């Protein structure tokens, strides 16, 4: 999504959990319905949000990422807007109109200029971050997914039960 040469508009309604929030963070423009629920729930599954971490970190910063990644807490669209995850939080009635407005604004731009601008922003971002972040996050999620805790957490999720570490407390 982030690498797409065309602008990507996210229309968020209902729930954006885990990887879904990563997609929101990678989008160029994000508009959420006020009733939308967001959460980085990976730690509650015994894994880490490593795959989406670079996108979310760039979007909302270290302080918010630390609190939300570590707690796995749910939050609403107003908070998502306040921390910069989404650009607008709107009523259900206004969602489609606001998204259409954003799309029309993008269509007013030259296609080559839009692609060049997205490329420029990636180039500037990469100059700051370096490529090694991708390698680190891919290695981390792979390690955790095959570990006993990751297997238990993912299994519990699929089986709709509490993971073993929650049953003990």
């Amino acid at each position: 999504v982030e690498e797409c040469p065309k602008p990507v508009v996210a229309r968020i309604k209902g729930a954006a959990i885990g990887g879904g929030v990563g997609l929101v963070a990678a989008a160029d423009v994000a508009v959420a319905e006020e009733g939308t629920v967001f959460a980085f729930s990976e730690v509650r599954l015994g894994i880490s949000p490593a795959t989406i971490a670079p996108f979310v970190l760039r979007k909302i910063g270290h302080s918010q990422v630390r609190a939300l990644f570590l707690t796995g807490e749910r939050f609403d669209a107003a908070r998502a807007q306040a921390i910069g995850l989404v650009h607008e939080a709107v009523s259900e009635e206004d969602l489609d109109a606001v998204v259409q407005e954003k799309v029309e604004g993008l269509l007013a731009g030259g296609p080559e200029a839009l692609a060049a601008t997205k490329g420029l922003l990636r180039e500037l971002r990469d100059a700051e971050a370096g490529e090694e972040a991708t390698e680190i996050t891919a290695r981390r999620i792979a390690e955790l997914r095959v570990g006993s805790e990751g297997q238990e957490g993912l299994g519990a999720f699929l089986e709709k039960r509490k993971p073993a570490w929650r049953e003990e407390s």
Side-chain angles (χ1 to χ4, degrees), residues 105-117:
L106 290 166
L107 290 173
E112 290 178 18
L114 290 168
T117 300

Side-chain angles (χ1 to χ4, degrees), residues 78-102:
R79 183 165 180 202
Q81 182 179 13
I83 64 175
L85 180 64
V86 301
H87 300 98
E88 293 192 46
V90 300
S91 69
E92 180 179 11
E93 299 80 33
D94 293 338
L95 181 61
D96 288 334
V98 172
V99 169
Q100 185 61 36
E101 178 183 301
K102 300 299 180 190

Side-chain angles (χ1 to χ4, degrees), residues 23-106:
L23 291 171
V24 172
D28 299 303
V29 178
V31 181
E33 180 192 306
E34 291 169 341
T36 303
V37 175
F38 297 85
F40 301 99
S41 58
E42 289 85 348
V43 295
R44 295 183 181 192
L45 301 175
I47 60 174
S48 171
T51 304
I52 64 172
F55 306 103
V56 180
L57 189 58
R58 285 191 294 268
K59 192 75 169 246
I60 67 173
H62 270 277
S63 179
Q64 296 295 336
V65 165
R66 288 174 70 96
L68 295 170
F69 277 17
L70 294 173
T71 64
E73 72 186 73
R74 291 175 179 247
F75 55 100
D76 63 15
R79 183 165 180 202
Q81 182 179 13
I83 64 175
L85 180 64
V86 301
H87 300 98
E88 293 192 46
V90 300
S91 69
E92 180 179 11
E93 299 80 33
D94 293 338
L95 181 61
D96 288 334
V98 172
V99 169
Q100 185 61 36
E101 178 183 301
K102 300 299 180 190
V103 169
E104 288 173 9
L106 290 166

Side-chain angles (χ1 to χ4, degrees), residues 118-140:
K118 283 193 68 170
L120 170 66
L121 294 171
R122 278 192 305 276
E123 192 176 336
L124 292 171
R125 175 205 70 211
D126 293 344
E128 295 172 2
E131 291 289 322
E132 70 184 58
T134 301
E135 294 174 25
I136 292 168
T137 59
R139 184 174 57 251
R140 180 65 44 85

